[in-house]
């Protein structure tokens, strides 16, 4: 029992601050959704289309956080903080380069992307306006990913928490002022979010640089190390690409169902994202503690941590599902004044609530394998999962089954992820010991 209490304390020490930091990130999108939703259904639909694009761009770069956490945690666990912080700084330089290139790409392709993902011309206009302004925040979002991942690797959860809380408060204040006081509409909401994102990015980058100086880690760009970080992130990019493909497919099907369904999908998807970030708190503990345990050569400790975190995943999933089910009849009123959108949302949210216990285990196992550097398997598993989900979601669109069935298909996606991840964790192949992962 003493050992279990010690394990739980270690998990909570990472998971609790990670939880508050993680849930504040999607709260920026929730704030935009609530503020824009009351402007009208076309504006909410435009945000839905734009969010898919921005979520995909940033989501494909989540390896900046996950890869940084895993590599920094391994070297930190092995007692080599100079190398750990050097890798952290290289991930920041990679984030800058990728961010500038992707920001330009989003701006240049905003019109065709908005048209493809929108249910009407009016919706597409709002989506393009939001994308053009939001593209300015893409480099900041990638810097936030890289810096947050590095700080988690050295068990600094407090700094990301404070930065994201302040950024969210700034975001809400600016959005309300720009949208309603100055009448800037969706563009005002996007501008407020961009300012908040750059504030958080500056704060977190400064924190990494301050940690690098005492251990004499170089803060200059090192092309070889930056290229290595990019190369090592390829499997996680593939894994994330398969996850984002499911989001895009769902949005396309929702757009085909009509303006009301697309607007409802934005609210449901935003709430699911919030829940995912909340459940991901234990997954962050999985990444950080698994990387540290493997770096220290502790195979038995790694296995014990995994078993305990699976239990935490089940528990947090049950709580998340119960809360969502209880609030489902009232939550839609926060985001829209359209009775049709609210009516479509309630049964879909109940389906999402039923899925949460499975999601809790999925996020934990995903975090454990990311912390172990098992990216190649995660990429393969993602491809398999996408192959299972695609016919399910396309069947919803082809048969006109309705908006609720779109989220039933999402349940099939979560079940497929659970099967692939559970199969992997039962073996020992993923548990490679030492400061670097030299085997698969």
């Amino acid at each position: 029992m003493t050992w279990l209490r010690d394990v739980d304390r270690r998990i909570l020490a990472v998971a609790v601050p990670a939880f508050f930091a993680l849930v504040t990130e999607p709260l920026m999108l929730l704030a935009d959704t609530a503020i824009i939703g009351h402007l009208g259904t076309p504006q909410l639909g435009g945000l839905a289309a734009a969010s898919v694009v921005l979520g995909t761009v940033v989501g494909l770069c989540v390896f900046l956080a996950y890869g940084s956490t895993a590599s920094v945690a391994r070297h930190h666990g092995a007692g080599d903080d100079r190398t750990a912080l050097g890798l952290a700084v290289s991930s920041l330089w990679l984030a800058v380069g990728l961010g500038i290139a992707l920001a330009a790409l989003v701006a240049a392709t905003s019109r065709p992307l908005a048209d493809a993902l929108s249910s009407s011309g009016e919706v597409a206009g709002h989506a393009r306006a939001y994308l053009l302004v939001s593209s300015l925040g893409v480099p900041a979002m990638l810097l936030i990913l890289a810096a947050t991942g590095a700080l988690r690797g050295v068990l600094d959860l407090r700094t990301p928490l404070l930065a994201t809380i302040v950024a969210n408060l700034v975001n809400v204040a600016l959005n309300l002022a720009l949208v309603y006081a100055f009448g800037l509409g969706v563009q005002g909401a996007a501008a407020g979010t961009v300012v908040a994102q750059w504030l958080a990015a500056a704060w977190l980058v400064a924190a990494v640089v301050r940690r690098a100086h005492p251990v004499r880690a170089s803060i200059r760009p090192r092309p070889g190390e930056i290229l290595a970080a990019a190369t090592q992130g390829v499997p996680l990019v593939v894994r994330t690409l398969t996850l984002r493909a499911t989001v895009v497919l769902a949005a396309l099907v929702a757009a085909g169902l009509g303006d009301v369904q697309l607007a409802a999908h934005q609210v449901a998807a935003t709430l699911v994202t919030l829940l995912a970030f909340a459940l991901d708190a234990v997954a962050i503990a999985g990444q950080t503690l698994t990387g540290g345990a493997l770096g220290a050569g502790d195979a038995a400790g790694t296995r014990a941590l995994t078993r305990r975190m699976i239990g935490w995943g089940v528990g947090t999933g049950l709580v998340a599902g119960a809360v969502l089910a209880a609030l489902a009849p009232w939550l839609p009123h926060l985001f829209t004044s359209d009775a049709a959108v609210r009516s479509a949302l309630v049964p879909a949210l109940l389906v999402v609530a039923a899925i949460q216990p499975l999601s809790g285990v999925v996020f934990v196992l995903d975090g454990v394998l990311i912390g172990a550097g098992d990216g190649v398997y995660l990429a393969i598993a993602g491809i398999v999962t996408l192959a299972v989900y695609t016919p399910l979601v396309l069947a919803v669109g082809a048969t006109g089954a309705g908006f609720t069935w779109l989220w039933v298909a999402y349940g099939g996606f979560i079940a497929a992820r659970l099967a692939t991840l559970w199969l992997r964790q039962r073996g020992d192949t993923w548990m490679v010991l030492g400061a670097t992962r030299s085997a698969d």
Side-chain angles (χ1 to χ4, degrees):
M1 291 298 295
T2 301
W3 180 85
L4 284 178
R5 286 195 295 269
D6 179 63
V7 171
D8 287 341
R9 279 196 296 268
R10 292 171 63 195
I11 293 172
L12 286 170
V14 178
V16 171
F19 167 78
F20 288 106
L22 286 165
V23 297
T24 53
E25 293 175 28
L27 283 176
M28 285 193 185
L29 182 56
L30 272 177
D32 284 2
T33 300
I35 292 168
I36 291 174
H38 290 286
L39 292 175
T41 297
Q43 288 88 340
L44 186 56
L47 177 62
S51 296
V52 171
V53 176
L54 294 169
T56 299
V57 169
V58 177
L60 288 177
C61 296
V62 76
F63 74 91
L64 291 167
Y66 292 165
S68 185
T69 296
S71 59
V72 171
R74 274 185 179 267
H75 286 282
H76 181 67
D80 185 4
D81 279 350
R82 183 176 183 180
T83 300
L85 272 300
L87 292 170
V89 171
S90 291
S91 72
L92 296 180
W93 284 109
L94 178 59
V96 170
L98 282 176
I100 293 172
L102 290 173
L105 181 62
V106 169
T109 60
S110 60
R111 184 181 295 278
L113 289 173
D115 290 343
L117 290 165
S118 298
S119 52
S120 66
E122 186 179 2
V123 169
H126 292 303
R128 181 169 182 265
Y130 193 89
L131 280 174
L132 281 173
V133 177
S134 296
S135 65
L136 298 173
V138 171
M141 287 188 277
L142 300 198
L143 281 169
I144 290 170
L145 286 176
T148 299
L151 293 170
R152 288 172 184 161
V154 294
L155 296 176
D156 179 2
L157 286 301
R158 181 175 179 271
T159 302
L161 172 60
L162 293 175
T164 50
I165 288 174
V166 172
N168 265 278
L169 293 174
V170 171
N171 178 61
V172 172
L174 286 175
N175 283 3
L176 287 172
L178 294 174
V179 172
Y180 293 112
F182 292 93
L184 296 180
V186 295
Q187 292 170 303
T193 301
V194 167
V195 172
Q197 287 164 343
W198 275 107
L199 171 64
W203 188 333
L204 294 170
V205 169
V208 173
V209 172
R210 282 197 303 270
R211 282 184 170 271
H213 280 306
V215 295
R216 298 182 181 179
S218 174
I219 59 173
R220 295 179 180 178
R222 288 176 288 180
E225 203 167 83
I226 295 171
L227 180 61
T231 302
Q232 291 166 7
V234 169
L236 287 179
V237 170
V238 174
R239 167 251 184 206
T240 305
L241 182 61
T242 62
L243 297 180
R244 293 308 306 177
T246 65
V247 175
V248 173
L249 283 170
L252 288 171
V253 171
L257 296 174
D259 283 7
V260 167
Q261 289 79 5
L262 182 59
H265 183 70
Q266 167 60 18
V267 176
T270 302
L271 290 170
V272 168
T273 300
L274 176 63
L275 289 172
F277 275 88
L279 295 175
D280 213 28
V282 183
I284 295 300
Q287 291 178 33
T288 303
L289 299 177
T290 297
L294 291 175
D298 187 2
T302 301
R303 178 64 72 185
L305 279 167
T306 300
R307 288 195 297 267
R308 193 62 176 171
M309 283 185 288
I310 289 172
W312 276 89
V314 173
T316 53
L318 286 170
V319 171
V323 170
L324 181 59
L327 296 178
W330 295 278
L331 280 173
H333 293 268
L334 298 176
F335 300 99
T336 178
S337 303
D338 191 324
V341 175
R342 294 200 298 260
S343 178
L345 272 169
V346 175
L349 293 180
L350 292 175
V351 171
V352 172
I355 297 167
Q356 293 312 296
L358 297 181
S359 296
V361 179
V362 165
F363 286 121
V364 163
L365 293 179
D366 197 53
V368 166
L369 296 179
I370 288 172
D374 200 22
V376 173
Y377 179 82
L378 290 172
I380 296 170
I383 293 170
V384 172
T385 302
L386 179 60
V388 172
Y389 176 70
T390 299
L392 295 177
V393 70
L394 292 181
V396 174
T399 62
F403 180 66
T404 301
W405 283 96
L406 189 62
W407 291 98
V408 173
Y410 171 76
F413 162 70
I414 291 295
R417 286 191 72 192
L418 178 60
T420 57
L421 297 173
W422 190 268
L423 178 66
R424 184 62 164 181
Q425 70 86 26
R426 291 188 62 184
D428 296 326
T429 307
W430 57 276
M431 290 199 298
V432 179
L433 305 179
T436 59
R437 182 180 173 91
S438 57
D440 289 321

